[in-house]
Amino acid sequence: MNNIITSCFFTSKNDPQRFSRLPNTFDPIKAWYDSIMEAGLNGILFYDDFDDEIISKYSNDNIKFIKDTTYKDQPFSAIEHRWILYEEYFKNNPYDNIFATDCTDVVVKADPFNDIKFIINQDSFFIGKEDEPKTNRVNGWMMNQFNYCYENNKEVEGMVLDQPVMNCGIVGGNYENFINIATLMSNEILRINPKEEECKARKMSFTVDMCILNYICYTKLNNSNIISDEPVHSLYKSYEETRDDVWFIHK
């Protein structure tokens, strides 16, 4: 099977959640990189500003580094830009199965693609989920995004806000399902067209992909076809690094 785990690491503009640039070094992605190597899996990391020395040292048969030259001059944050990039790249470079993860706070613990729970659920979407707060409605950070992107949207009020918070840090499945999510995400980002100055005026981070993912999960996908928690990932923000019964550790 031709499987891939992918991520993005962009440093030429401020990170929208940390409000500063990430260091242009290998250290922030080391744990993600090492975990893919240790699991014997294949990975693609999209980057914009690594030195050639880093690329030469760490590129190998398992992990490929692909430079993206469009990020710096486009209007979205790295968090939104990645979905546009994923859609474009993987539509032209298909794989059997794809997981997109964060690379600074997610590590691989086991090969998901050979797990029987992945194999027998080939029609499913595998997506991270947060456990606290329990719903989008009681998560103030999420509600800031929803009020910006979907204010007075009855579909969101009725179908999304009282559901668990899905997290963009782990999203995967078979090729068709992954491309479906990436396309829906990309199209919705382009439709909303978030602006940094508007987000700052609302005192919110310049990122909207979390509320878009939740909107898509609960209105566009078959909610009963989404698998989260075990075996996909550890408890979010519980730092359960020693667990070996899940595919990914997410903080």
Side-chain angles (χ1 to χ4, degrees):
M1 297 289 282
N2 190 20
N3 305 316
I4 201 75
I5 296 175
T6 190
S7 191
C8 295
F9 187 68
F10 297 131
T11 60
S12 60
K13 293 192 291 188
N14 282 353
D15 179 88
Q17 293 174 297
R18 298 174 177 88
F19 307 109
S20 61
R21 292 190 184 188
L22 293 169
N24 183 23
T25 66
F26 181 73
D27 287 348
I29 67 162
K30 183 179 186 303
W32 179 86
Y33 176 98
D34 288 347
S35 70
I36 292 176
M37 292 293 295
E38 290 168 8
L41 298 173
N42 294 316
I44 291 176
L45 183 79
F46 296 94
Y47 73 98
D48 64 335
D49 202 30
F50 272 142
D51 292 335
D52 291 342
E53 181 181 352
I54 292 176
I55 305 306
S56 176
K57 180 176 180 179
Y58 292 104
S59 295
N60 54 53
D61 291 341
N62 289 83
I63 300 182
K64 179 164 55 174
F65 291 77
I66 297 178
K67 185 166 187 175
D68 174 58
T69 60
T70 65
Y71 168 62
K72 189 173 184 180
D73 295 322
Q74 57 81 52
F76 303 125
S77 80
I79 294 176
E80 279 67 50
H81 177 65
R82 60 180 170 173
W83 293 107
I84 298 168
L85 180 61
Y86 290 153
E87 181 198 13
E88 179 181 356
Y89 180 83
F90 288 110
K91 276 186 174 179
N92 294 310
N93 299 273
Y95 286 81
D96 293 320
N97 303 289
I98 303 171
F99 267 98
T101 74
D102 291 345
C103 63
T104 59
D105 56 16
V106 171
V107 296
V108 180
K109 290 295 286 188
D111 181 353
F113 308 112
N114 284 325
D115 192 304
I116 188 62
K117 294 178 181 177
F118 182 88
I119 295 169
I120 66 175
N121 290 287
Q122 273 295 297
D123 292 332
S124 297
F125 302 90
F126 300 89
I127 301 175
K129 186 177 74 175
E130 300 183 15
D131 297 280
E132 295 292 345
K134 292 296 185 184
T135 67
N136 283 293
R137 191 184 297 277
V138 297
N139 186 319
W141 191 85
M142 288 294 294
M143 287 304 299
N144 280 340
Q145 290 193 24
F146 279 115
N147 289 334
Y148 177 58
C149 295
Y150 298 107
E151 194 168 19
N152 301 318
N153 185 306
K154 292 182 180 179
E155 194 175 31
V156 169
E157 174 64 34
M159 299 175 66
V160 180
L161 296 186
D162 292 317
Q163 298 293 334
V165 180
M166 308 306 289
N167 190 289
C168 295
I170 300 170
V171 176
N174 65 34
Y175 178 74
E176 181 180 354
N177 283 352
F178 182 84
I179 289 297
N180 185 18
I181 291 179
T183 301
L184 288 168
M185 290 290 293
S186 177
N187 289 346
E188 195 70 354
I189 289 164
L190 292 170
R191 183 190 69 80
I192 293 169
N193 192 22
K195 305 244 180 341
E196 186 169 13
E197 61 272 17
E198 294 174 352
C199 293
K200 285 181 178 178
R202 289 172 175 256
K203 295 182 170 53
M204 60 178 277
S205 302
F206 177 42
T207 171
V208 296
D209 78 329
M210 284 280 288
C211 79
I212 291 175
L213 178 69
N214 279 265
Y215 171 75
I216 288 169
C217 283
Y218 296 121
T219 66
K220 305 300 182 184
L221 307 181
N222 180 356
N223 186 27
S224 64
N225 220 24
I226 296 174
I227 297 177
S228 299
D229 298 317
E230 296 179 18
V232 184
H233 60 88
S234 59
L235 287 174
Y236 180 67
K237 283 191 174 179
S238 292
Y239 301 92
E240 299 177 319
E241 292 92 348
T242 60
R243 288 187 65 174
D244 56 11
D245 60 333
V246 292
W247 306 336
F248 301 97
I249 304 293
H250 190 180
K251 296 185 182 177

Coordinates of all heavy atoms in Angstrom, one line a residue, residues 148-213:
Y148 N -17.3 34.7 14.0 CA -16.7 35.4 12.8 C -17.1 34.8 11.5 O -17.5 35.5 10.5 CB -15.2 35.4 13.0 CG -14.4 36.0 11.8 CD1 -14.7 37.3 11.5 CD2 -13.5 35.2 11.1 CE1 -14.0 37.9 10.4 CE2 -12.8 35.8 10.0 CZ -13.1 37.1 9.7 OH -12.4 37.7 8.6
C149 N -17.1 33.4 11.4 CA -17.3 32.7 10.1 C -18.8 32.4 9.9 O -19.2 32.4 8.7 CB -16.5 31.4 10.1 SG -14.7 31.6 10.2
Y150 N -19.6 32.1 10.9 CA -20.9 31.6 10.7 C -22.0 32.3 11.6 O -22.9 31.7 12.0 CB -20.9 30.1 11.0 CG -20.0 29.3 10.1 CD1 -18.8 28.8 10.6 CD2 -20.4 29.0 8.8 CE1 -18.0 28.0 9.8 CE2 -19.5 28.3 8.0 CZ -18.4 27.8 8.5 OH -17.5 27.0 7.7
E151 N -21.8 33.6 11.8 CA -22.7 34.3 12.6 C -24.2 34.2 12.0 O -24.4 34.4 10.8 CB -22.3 35.8 12.7 CG -23.0 36.5 13.8 CD -22.4 37.9 14.1 OE1 -21.6 38.4 13.2 OE2 -22.6 38.4 15.2
N152 N -25.1 33.9 12.9 CA -26.5 33.8 12.5 C -26.8 32.7 11.5 O -27.8 32.6 10.9 CB -27.1 35.1 12.0 CG -26.9 36.2 13.0 OD1 -27.2 36.1 14.1 ND2 -26.5 37.4 12.5
N153 N -25.9 31.7 11.5 CA -26.1 30.5 10.6 C -26.9 29.5 11.3 O -26.4 28.9 12.3 CB -24.7 30.0 10.2 CG -24.8 28.9 9.2 OD1 -25.5 27.9 9.4 ND2 -24.1 29.0 8.1
K154 N -28.1 29.3 10.9 CA -29.0 28.3 11.6 C -28.5 26.9 11.5 O -28.8 26.1 12.4 CB -30.4 28.5 11.0 CG -31.1 29.8 11.3 CD -32.5 29.8 10.7 CE -33.2 31.2 11.0 NZ -34.5 31.3 10.5
E155 N -27.8 26.6 10.5 CA -27.3 25.2 10.3 C -26.3 25.0 11.4 O -26.2 23.9 12.0 CB -26.7 25.0 9.0 CG -26.4 23.6 8.6 CD -25.9 23.5 7.2 OE1 -25.2 24.4 6.7 OE2 -26.1 22.4 6.5
V156 N -25.4 25.9 11.7 CA -24.4 25.8 12.7 C -25.1 25.7 14.1 O -24.7 24.9 14.9 CB -23.4 27.0 12.7 CG1 -22.5 27.0 13.9 CG2 -22.5 26.9 11.4
E157 N -26.0 26.6 14.4 CA -26.7 26.6 15.6 C -27.4 25.3 15.9 O -27.4 24.8 17.0 CB -27.8 27.8 15.6 CG -28.7 27.8 16.9 CD -27.9 28.1 18.2 OE1 -26.9 28.8 18.1 OE2 -28.3 27.5 19.2
G158 N -28.0 24.7 14.9 CA -28.8 23.5 15.1 C -28.0 22.2 15.0 O -28.4 21.2 15.6
M159 N -26.9 22.2 14.3 CA -26.2 20.9 14.1 C -24.8 20.9 14.6 O -24.2 19.8 14.6 CB -26.2 20.7 12.5 CG -27.5 20.6 11.9 SD -27.4 20.4 10.1 CE -26.7 18.8 9.9
V160 N -24.2 22.0 15.0 CA -22.8 22.0 15.3 C -22.4 22.3 16.7 O -21.6 21.7 17.3 CB -22.0 22.9 14.3 CG1 -20.5 22.9 14.6 CG2 -22.3 22.6 12.9
L161 N -23.0 23.4 17.2 CA -22.5 24.0 18.5 C -22.6 23.1 19.7 O -21.8 23.2 20.6 CB -23.2 25.3 18.7 CG -23.0 26.4 17.7 CD1 -23.6 27.7 18.2 CD2 -21.5 26.6 17.4
D162 N -23.6 22.2 19.7 CA -23.7 21.3 20.8 C -23.1 19.9 20.6 O -23.4 18.9 21.3 CB -25.2 21.1 21.2 CG -25.8 22.4 21.7 OD1 -25.2 23.1 22.6 OD2 -26.9 22.8 21.3
Q163 N -22.1 19.9 19.7 CA -21.4 18.7 19.4 C -20.0 18.8 20.0 O -19.5 19.9 20.2 CB -21.3 18.4 17.9 CG -22.7 18.2 17.2 CD -23.3 16.9 17.7 OE1 -22.7 16.0 18.1 NE2 -24.7 16.9 17.6
P164 N -19.3 17.6 20.2 CA -17.9 17.7 20.6 C -17.0 18.5 19.7 O -17.3 18.5 18.4 CB -17.5 16.2 20.7 CG -18.8 15.5 20.8 CD -19.8 16.3 20.0
V165 N -15.9 19.0 20.2 CA -15.0 19.8 19.4 C -14.0 18.9 18.6 O -13.2 18.1 19.2 CB -14.1 20.7 20.2 CG1 -13.2 21.6 19.4 CG2 -15.0 21.7 21.1
M166 N -14.1 18.9 17.3 CA -13.2 18.1 16.5 C -11.9 19.0 16.2 O -12.0 20.2 16.1 CB -13.8 17.8 15.1 CG -15.2 17.1 15.2 SD -15.2 15.6 16.3 CE -14.3 14.5 15.3
N167 N -10.8 18.3 16.1 CA -9.5 19.0 16.1 C -8.8 18.7 14.8 O -8.6 17.6 14.4 CB -8.7 18.6 17.3 CG -7.5 19.5 17.5 OD1 -6.5 19.4 16.7 ND2 -7.5 20.3 18.5
C168 N -8.2 19.8 14.2 CA -7.6 19.6 12.9 C -6.2 19.0 13.0 O -5.5 18.7 12.0 CB -7.4 21.0 12.3 SG -9.0 21.8 11.8
G169 N -5.7 18.8 14.2 CA -4.3 18.3 14.4 C -4.1 16.9 13.9 O -3.0 16.4 13.6
I170 N -5.2 16.1 13.7 CA -5.2 14.7 13.2 C -6.4 14.5 12.3 O -7.5 14.5 12.7 CB -5.2 13.7 14.3 CG1 -4.0 13.8 15.2 CG2 -5.2 12.3 13.6 CD1 -4.0 13.0 16.5
V171 N -6.1 14.4 11.0 CA -7.2 14.2 10.0 C -6.7 13.2 9.0 O -5.7 13.4 8.4 CB -7.6 15.5 9.3 CG1 -8.7 15.2 8.2 CG2 -8.1 16.5 10.3
G172 N -7.5 12.1 8.8 CA -7.0 11.1 7.8 C -8.0 10.1 7.4 O -9.2 10.2 7.8
G173 N -7.6 9.3 6.5 CA -8.5 8.2 6.0 C -8.0 7.8 4.6 O -6.8 8.0 4.2
N174 N -8.9 7.1 3.9 CA -8.5 6.7 2.5 C -8.4 7.9 1.6 O -8.8 9.0 2.0 CB -9.4 5.6 2.0 CG -10.8 6.1 1.8 OD1 -11.1 7.2 1.4 ND2 -11.8 5.2 2.0
Y175 N -7.8 7.7 0.4 CA -7.5 8.8 -0.4 C -8.8 9.6 -0.8 O -8.8 10.8 -0.7 CB -6.9 8.3 -1.7 CG -6.6 9.4 -2.7 CD1 -5.6 10.3 -2.5 CD2 -7.4 9.6 -3.9 CE1 -5.3 11.3 -3.4 CE2 -7.2 10.6 -4.8 CZ -6.1 11.4 -4.6 OH -5.9 12.5 -5.5
E176 N -9.9 8.9 -1.1 CA -11.1 9.6 -1.5 C -11.6 10.5 -0.3 O -12.0 11.6 -0.5 CB -12.2 8.6 -1.9 CG -13.5 9.2 -2.3 CD -14.5 8.2 -2.7 OE1 -14.2 7.0 -2.8 OE2 -15.7 8.6 -3.0
N177 N -11.6 9.9 0.9 CA -12.1 10.7 2.0 C -11.2 11.8 2.4 O -11.7 12.9 2.7 CB -12.3 9.7 3.2 CG -13.5 8.9 3.1 OD1 -14.4 9.1 2.2 ND2 -13.7 7.9 4.0
F178 N -9.9 11.6 2.3 CA -9.0 12.7 2.6 C -9.2 13.9 1.6 O -9.2 15.0 2.0 CB -7.5 12.2 2.7 CG -6.6 13.4 3.0 CD1 -6.4 13.7 4.4 CD2 -6.0 14.1 2.1 CE1 -5.5 14.7 4.7 CE2 -5.1 15.2 2.4 CZ -4.9 15.5 3.8
I179 N -9.2 13.5 0.4 CA -9.4 14.6 -0.6 C -10.7 15.3 -0.5 O -10.8 16.5 -0.7 CB -9.3 14.0 -2.1 CG1 -7.8 13.6 -2.3 CG2 -9.8 15.0 -3.1 CD1 -6.8 14.8 -2.4
N180 N -11.7 14.6 -0.1 CA -13.0 15.2 0.2 C -12.9 16.2 1.3 O -13.4 17.4 1.1 CB -14.0 14.1 0.6 CG -15.4 14.6 0.8 OD1 -15.8 15.7 0.3 ND2 -16.3 13.8 1.5
I181 N -12.3 15.9 2.4 CA -12.1 16.8 3.5 C -11.2 18.0 3.1 O -11.6 19.2 3.3 CB -11.5 16.1 4.7 CG1 -12.5 15.2 5.4 CG2 -11.1 17.2 5.8 CD1 -12.0 14.4 6.6
A182 N -10.1 17.7 2.4 CA -9.2 18.8 2.0 C -9.9 19.8 1.1 O -9.7 21.0 1.2 CB -8.0 18.2 1.4
T183 N -10.7 19.2 0.2 CA -11.4 20.1 -0.8 C -12.5 20.9 -0.1 O -12.6 22.1 -0.4 CB -12.1 19.2 -1.9 OG1 -11.1 18.5 -2.6 CG2 -12.8 20.1 -2.9
L184 N -13.3 20.3 0.8 CA -14.3 21.0 1.6 C -13.6 22.1 2.4 O -14.1 23.3 2.5 CB -15.1 20.1 2.5 CG -16.0 19.1 1.7 CD1 -16.5 18.1 2.7 CD2 -17.2 19.9 1.2
M185 N -12.5 21.8 3.1 CA -11.8 22.8 3.9 C -11.3 23.9 3.0 O -11.5 25.1 3.3 CB -10.6 22.1 4.6 CG -11.0 21.2 5.7 SD -11.7 21.9 7.2 CE -10.3 22.8 7.8
S186 N -10.6 23.6 1.9 CA -10.1 24.6 1.0 C -11.2 25.6 0.5 O -11.1 26.8 0.5 CB -9.3 24.0 -0.1 OG -8.9 24.9 -1.0
N187 N -12.3 25.0 0.0 CA -13.4 25.8 -0.6 C -14.0 26.7 0.5 O -14.3 27.8 0.2 CB -14.4 24.8 -1.1 CG -14.0 24.1 -2.4 OD1 -13.0 24.5 -3.0 ND2 -14.7 23.1 -2.8
E188 N -14.1 26.2 1.7 CA -14.8 27.0 2.7 C -13.9 28.1 3.2 O -14.3 29.2 3.5 CB -15.2 26.1 3.9 CG -16.2 26.7 4.9 CD -17.6 26.9 4.3 OE1 -17.8 26.7 3.1 OE2 -18.4 27.3 5.1
I189 N -12.6 27.8 3.3 CA -11.6 28.9 3.6 C -11.6 30.0 2.6 O -11.7 31.2 2.9 CB -10.2 28.3 3.7 CG1 -10.1 27.4 5.0 CG2 -9.1 29.4 3.8 CD1 -8.9 26.5 5.0
L190 N -11.6 29.6 1.3 CA -11.7 30.6 0.2 C -13.0 31.4 0.2 O -13.0 32.6 -0.1 CB -11.4 29.9 -1.1 CG -10.0 29.3 -1.3 CD1 -10.0 28.5 -2.6 CD2 -9.0 30.4 -1.4
R191 N -14.1 30.7 0.6 CA -15.4 31.4 0.6 C -15.4 32.4 1.7 O -15.9 33.6 1.5 CB -16.5 30.4 0.8 CG -17.9 31.0 0.7 CD -19.0 30.0 1.2 NE -18.9 29.7 2.6 CZ -19.4 30.4 3.6 NH1 -19.9 31.6 3.3 NH2 -19.3 30.0 4.8
I192 N -15.0 32.0 2.9 CA -15.0 32.9 4.1 C -14.0 34.0 3.9 O -14.2 35.2 4.3 CB -14.8 32.1 5.4 CG1 -16.0 31.2 5.6 CG2 -14.5 33.0 6.6 CD1 -15.8 30.2 6.7
N193 N -12.8 33.7 3.4 CA -11.8 34.7 3.1 C -11.4 35.5 4.4 O -11.5 36.7 4.4 CB -12.2 35.6 2.0 CG -11.0 36.5 1.5 OD1 -9.9 36.1 1.6 ND2 -11.4 37.6 0.9
P194 N -10.9 34.8 5.4 CA -10.6 35.4 6.7 C -9.5 36.5 6.5 O -8.6 36.3 5.7 CB -10.1 34.3 7.6 CG -9.6 33.3 6.7 CD -10.5 33.3 5.5
K195 N -9.7 37.6 7.2 CA -8.7 38.7 7.2 C -8.1 38.9 8.5 O -8.8 39.0 9.6 CB -9.4 40.0 6.7 CG -10.2 39.8 5.4 CD -9.6 40.7 4.4 CE -10.3 40.7 3.0 NZ -11.1 39.5 2.7
E196 N -6.8 39.1 8.5 CA -6.1 39.2 9.8 C -6.5 40.4 10.6 O -6.7 40.3 11.8 CB -4.6 39.3 9.6 CG -3.8 39.3 10.8 CD -2.3 39.1 10.6 OE1 -1.8 39.2 9.4 OE2 -1.6 38.8 11.5
E197 N -6.8 41.6 9.9 CA -7.2 42.8 10.7 C -8.6 42.6 11.3 O -8.8 43.1 12.4 CB -7.1 44.0 9.8 CG -8.1 43.9 8.6 CD -7.4 43.3 7.4 OE1 -6.4 42.6 7.5 OE2 -8.0 43.5 6.2
E198 N -9.4 41.9 10.7 CA -10.8 41.6 11.2 C -10.7 40.7 12.4 O -11.4 40.9 13.4 CB -11.7 41.0 10.1 CG -12.0 41.9 9.0 CD -12.7 41.2 7.9 OE1 -12.9 40.0 7.9 OE2 -13.2 41.9 6.9
C199 N -9.8 39.7 12.4 CA -9.6 38.8 13.5 C -9.0 39.6 14.7 O -9.5 39.4 15.8 CB -8.8 37.6 13.1 SG -9.5 36.5 11.9
K200 N -8.1 40.4 14.4 CA -7.5 41.2 15.5 C -8.5 42.1 16.2 O -8.5 42.3 17.4 CB -6.3 42.0 15.0 CG -5.1 41.2 14.7 CD -3.9 42.1 14.2 CE -2.7 41.4 13.9 NZ -1.6 42.2 13.4
A201 N -9.4 42.7 15.4 CA -10.4 43.6 15.9 C -11.4 42.8 16.8 O -12.0 43.4 17.7 CB -11.2 44.2 14.7
R202 N -11.6 41.6 16.6 CA -12.4 40.7 17.4 C -11.6 40.1 18.6 O -12.2 39.3 19.3 CB -13.1 39.6 16.6 CG -14.1 40.2 15.6 CD -14.6 39.1 14.7 NE -15.7 39.5 13.8 CZ -17.0 39.1 14.0 NH1 -17.3 38.3 15.0 NH2 -17.9 39.6 13.2
K203 N -10.3 40.4 18.7 CA -9.5 39.9 19.7 C -9.4 38.3 19.6 O -9.5 37.6 20.6 CB -9.9 40.3 21.1 CG -9.8 41.8 21.3 CD -10.2 42.2 22.7 CE -9.8 43.7 23.0 NZ -10.3 44.6 22.0
M204 N -9.3 37.8 18.4 CA -9.2 36.4 18.2 C -8.0 36.1 17.3 O -7.5 37.0 16.6 CB -10.4 35.8 17.5 CG -10.7 36.4 16.1 SD -12.2 35.7 15.3 CE -11.4 34.2 14.6
S205 N -7.4 34.9 17.5 CA -6.3 34.4 16.7 C -6.7 34.5 15.2 O -7.8 34.2 14.8 CB -5.9 33.0 17.1 OG -5.5 33.0 18.4
F206 N -5.7 34.7 14.4 CA -6.0 34.8 12.9 C -5.9 33.3 12.4 O -5.0 32.9 11.7 CB -4.9 35.6 12.2 CG -5.0 35.7 10.7 CD1 -6.3 35.8 10.1 CD2 -3.9 35.6 9.9 CE1 -6.4 35.8 8.7 CE2 -4.0 35.6 8.5 CZ -5.3 35.8 7.9
T207 N -7.0 32.6 12.7 CA -7.1 31.2 12.3 C -8.6 30.8 12.4 O -9.2 31.1 13.4 CB -6.2 30.2 13.0 OG1 -6.5 28.9 12.7 CG2 -6.3 30.4 14.5
V208 N -9.1 30.1 11.4 CA -10.5 29.7 11.4 C -10.7 28.2 11.0 O -11.8 27.8 10.9 CB -11.3 30.6 10.5 CG1 -11.3 32.1 10.9 CG2 -10.8 30.5 9.0
D209 N -9.6 27.5 10.8 CA -9.8 26.1 10.3 C -10.5 25.2 11.3 O -11.2 24.2 10.9 CB -8.5 25.5 9.8 CG -7.6 25.0 10.9 OD1 -7.6 25.6 12.0 OD2 -6.8 24.1 10.7
M210 N -10.4 25.5 12.6 CA -11.1 24.6 13.5 C -12.6 24.7 13.4 O -13.3 23.7 13.4 CB -10.6 25.0 15.0 CG -9.3 24.5 15.3 SD -9.2 22.7 15.7 CE -10.0 22.8 17.3
C211 N -13.1 25.9 13.3 CA -14.6 26.0 13.2 C -15.1 25.5 11.9 O -16.1 24.9 11.8 CB -15.1 27.4 13.5 SG -14.9 28.6 12.2
I212 N -14.2 25.7 10.8 CA -14.6 25.1 9.5 C -14.6 23.6 9.5 O -15.5 23.0 9.0 CB -13.6 25.7 8.5 CG1 -13.8 27.2 8.2 CG2 -13.8 24.9 7.1 CD1 -12.8 27.8 7.3
L213 N -13.6 23.0 10.2 CA -13.6 21.5 10.3 C -14.9 21.0 11.0 O -15.5 20.1 10.6 CB -12.4 21.0 11.0 CG -12.3 19.5 11.2 CD1 -12.2 18.8 9.8 CD2 -11.2 19.1 12.2

